[in-house]
Amino acid sequence: MKKNDLFKNIIAIRTAKNNSIICGTGFFIKTTENKIYLVTAAHVAKDTTINTDIWLKDINSGFPIYIKINQLNPMAMWLYHPISDIAILEVKKSTIDLTPYLLNINSFINDFNKTPDRENTVTMYGIPDIYTDLKFAPFTCDCKPASDLWVAFFDSTNSSFKCFMLDKPSTQGFSGGPVFSFEKNSEGEKIPICYGIIHGTRNDNTGGKLAIVVHSAYLFELIEYARNI
């Protein structure tokens, strides 16, 4: 598998507010119960309105297409994790066939004790901007894990959440984007494994910058919570 094989699975979330565009990244997942959710960072979701644009790759032309978020969920009612920077939106309907855009939940790590191996390269996916006259091609950034399981503080929940760091910073618009490791399965094929989503960048007064990744196990907690409400 190549990095651009996942371009169709990455979506841009764009909200017009105060004469500017607030950009974020997300993706669709399909659960074992065949429910579909849009996933992004909680701080991206909180800026959305019913008129937020969801940009995807047109499977036939390769150019971007968009739908309004209320075409997925009429009231754009997100479910937020109580401590970590992650949110999900159940897809109640869709004006387009989402099948080509779905990631299977089995591609995500559901164990806080598992983080990417320090020797492996992982890839951040994000969409800082969209141009309608250019083909849809999310940005990718190859990194090495910079930590094992760690904690970061999230102002919005006033709590610390489990995460890991990457040896490069994130960038504006990458928030909510997935972080994949391409690992060989039992048949020797490289498959994408997602360990988490981008929260943001940790800065210090020396100029150091590391990307903070929300562990993907929180996604399973949210899905379980959604199942029980």
Side-chain angles (χ1 to χ4, degrees):
M1 173 170 277
K2 296 180 179 179
K3 293 173 195 173
N4 59 10
D5 291 334
L6 290 175
F7 285 0
K8 67 183 185 300
N9 302 111
I10 311 301
I11 65 106
I13 301 172
R14 294 167 59 81
T15 304
K17 273 190 176 181
N18 302 321
N19 297 317
S20 63
I21 301 294
I22 300 172
C23 300
T25 302
F27 51 89
F28 292 106
I29 60 159
K30 183 178 181 180
T31 71
T32 54
E33 297 174 330
N34 292 322
K35 287 198 171 184
I36 297 173
Y37 293 98
L38 172 59
V39 183
T40 191
H43 74 268
V44 173
K46 286 179 179 178
D47 277 321
T48 61
T49 70
I50 59 172
N51 292 314
T52 290
D53 289 327
I54 303 298
W55 290 83
L56 311 95
K57 178 180 180 178
D58 186 295
I59 299 301
N60 296 315
S61 71
F63 286 93
I65 56 173
Y66 79 92
I67 56 176
K68 295 293 184 183
I69 199 170
N70 63 4
Q71 293 173 260
L72 302 173
N73 185 304
M75 298 303 293
M77 295 292 291
W78 292 87
L79 184 63
Y80 297 92
H81 196 278
I83 65 169
S84 67
D85 188 16
I86 189 170
I88 59 175
L89 179 75
E90 184 176 356
V91 175
K92 300 287 191 179
K93 60 178 184 175
S94 179
T95 54
I96 64 172
D97 180 13
L98 294 178
T99 304
Y101 304 101
L102 301 179
L103 290 168
N104 193 299
I105 193 65
N106 294 330
S107 298
F108 293 75
I109 297 295
N110 185 20
D111 184 348
F112 284 113
N113 293 314
K114 292 183 180 179
T115 56
D117 189 292
R118 299 283 187 101
E119 304 304 317
N120 290 345
T121 297
V122 297
T123 303
M124 291 190 283
Y125 283 79
I127 309 178
D129 216 335
I130 292 290
Y131 297 92
T132 56
D133 58 341
L134 297 176
K135 289 199 172 183
F136 189 96
F139 286 19
T140 55
C141 181
D142 287 347
C143 319
K144 293 286 188 181
S147 76
D148 295 328
L149 192 66
W150 198 246
V151 293
F153 187 77
F154 186 27
D155 292 339
S156 294
T157 61
N158 201 34
S159 301
S160 294
F161 63 89
K162 294 175 182 178
C163 65
F164 59 92
M165 307 290 183
L166 303 179
D167 66 356
K168 292 179 183 176
S170 177
T171 192
Q172 194 167 10
F174 268 49
S175 295
V179 176
F180 286 104
S181 174
F182 292 87
E183 302 176 10
K184 288 184 178 180
N185 61 14
S186 58
E187 298 174 350
E189 301 171 325
K190 282 191 174 182
I191 59 171
I193 302 296
C194 184
Y195 284 87
I197 70 167
I198 294 295
H199 164 67
T201 299
R202 174 176 176 149
N203 305 309
D204 67 18
N205 59 12
T206 70
K209 293 182 179 181
L210 299 173
I212 303 170
V213 183
V214 179
H215 199 287
S216 56
Y218 284 120
L219 175 58
F220 291 84
E221 292 185 354
L222 259 183
I223 292 170
E224 180 63 26
Y225 180 69
R227 185 181 293 122
N228 294 319
I229 60 174

